[in-house]
Each structure stands twice: as C-alpha cells, then as structure tokens.
C-alpha cells in the first residue's frame, strides 16, 4: 500500500478511529495520543492487510488491540461508547448514559471491549474476527454481558 493509498484509507475511516478513541479516553489530550498510536500501528501494519476481510474490520482489529494495549499499560478507566442518538429529553439522555457508564464499570476489560464493538453496530461475525473468537462464542459472551448490564441497571 502506497503512502497516498494509506492516507486516503485513513481519511475514509478516521471516524471509526476517532469514535474508538472517544470510547477509551476521557480527555482530549489522551484521545489525540491514542489516535496517533493507532495511526502509527496502522501505518506499520499497512502491508499486512491481505484482503481476506473487510478493510474496516482490519482497522477495527488494529485500533482495538492498540487501545487495549495502551489501556493495560496505563490501567485507566475506560468509557466504551458514545451514544449517537439523543432521546427527546436531554436530561433523560444524560441520566441513561450515566447509568450505563456506571454499570459498565463492573465489566471486565475484555467485556468492555467486546461491548464497545457491539455498540459500534458490528455484526457478530465482525466482532468475532476482531476479537479472534468464534461467532458462537461471541454470541454467548455478548448475551452474558447484556445480562450482566441489565442486572446491574435493575438493581439501581
């Protein structure tokens, strides 16, 4: 992949990377640092893309692994999603979002990462490919995560 092709690819998929950075980091500075780390890893890996999967899946995998690696190193609290659609009442949105974020603190790092991919609306097949699990195991894990979150929210 040439440098021009790489830059075009990044331009086309930067939304995915930015959203993941927002999910993993609270401060703008940390988001920028993670974005740069992901770009660096993508650039280093650009010739490893073999076309056996969708390019966005490849980007998700590298971004996911880079974010997870930096999270492990820094041992930071992770926020794993950014709700895209606001309810009609902004106060209700804020309350629901805060409740979900609080519930997610009880998930393991792996559960948070998988749930984030689910919130990104990746298919079970895509999540399985990114996390290197089987599709059936992905379904089982997501079911357990959703049940865990529901139980936490119901206790509130």
């Amino acid at each position: 992949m040439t440098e021009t092709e790489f830059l075009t690819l990044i331009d086309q998929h930067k939304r995915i990377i930015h959203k993941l950075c927002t999910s993993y980091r609270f401060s703008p500075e940390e988001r920028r640092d993670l974005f740069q780390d992901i770009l660096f890893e993508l650039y280093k890996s650009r010739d490893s893309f073999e076309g056996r999967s969708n390019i966005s899946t490849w980007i998700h995998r590298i971004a996911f692994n880079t974010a997870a690696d930096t999270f492990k190193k820094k041992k930071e609290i992770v926020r794993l999603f950014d709700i895209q659609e606001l309810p009609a009442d902004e106060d209700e949105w804020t309350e629901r979002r805060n409740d979900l974020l609080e519930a997610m603190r009880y998930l393991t790092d792996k559960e948070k990462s998988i749930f984030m991919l689910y919130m990104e609306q990746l298919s079970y097949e895509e999540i399985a490919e990114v996390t290197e699990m089987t599709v059936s195991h992905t379904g089982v894990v997501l079911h357990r995560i959703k049940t865990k979150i529901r139980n936490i929210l119901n206790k509130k």
Side-chain angles (χ1 to χ4, degrees), residues 7-30:
L7 293 173
T8 301
L9 176 72
I10 294 304
D11 189 53
Q12 292 170 347
H13 294 88
K14 65 185 170 196
R15 187 180 151 275
I16 293 170
I17 302 167
H18 279 296
K19 193 162 188 175
L20 189 130
C21 292
T22 300
S23 300
Y24 273 91
R25 297 292 182 265
F26 286 108
S27 76
E29 297 81 22
E30 290 174 325

Side-chain angles (χ1 to χ4, degrees), residues 49-60:
F49 180 68
E50 299 172 351
R52 291 184 289 162
S53 65
N54 189 322
I55 192 77
S56 63
T57 302
W58 176 77
I59 291 170
H60 265 99

